[in-house]
Amino acid sequence: MRKYLRDLRLEKKASQKVTAEALGLSQNYYSCIESGTRKASIDLGLLIKLSAFFEVELEYLIEQEKAIASIKGA
């Protein structure tokens, strides 16, 4: 699970649907990314979009993804 994405989304008071639309994704696909049921890693292009939408540093998102990868042993 990408709890950090859920936390950022809730902090912004955005629904998954609104977030997905802003990122150019379907709500279902975004939900799978957030819950961790899809995509072992997030590509750089999407990380850049997430950074802009959530108004956080790209480095923060990269570090979160590195932490997830190290937990999964990837």
Side-chain angles (χ1 to χ4, degrees), residues 10-25:
L10 294 177
E11 186 177 305
K12 191 170 180 81
K13 296 180 172 62
S15 67
Q16 284 188 344
K17 182 178 181 178
V18 167
T19 303
E21 287 174 356
L23 300 171
L25 305 172

Side-chain angles (χ1 to χ4, degrees), residues 20-69:
E21 287 174 356
L23 300 171
L25 305 172
S26 72
Q27 187 274 328
N28 185 51
Y29 186 69
Y30 177 78
S31 175
C32 289
I33 292 170
E34 190 176 288
S35 69
T37 58
R38 185 178 243 174
K39 254 192 177 236
S41 62
I42 299 176
D43 67 44
L44 183 58
L46 183 52
L47 284 174
I48 291 169
K49 289 179 182 180
L50 287 164
S51 173
F53 180 75
F54 290 126
E55 299 176 16
V56 297
E57 295 291 327
L58 181 58
E59 182 71 22
Y60 170 76
L61 299 177
I62 291 170
E63 290 301 318
Q64 295 301 310
E65 286 300 304
K66 282 182 182 179
I68 291 169

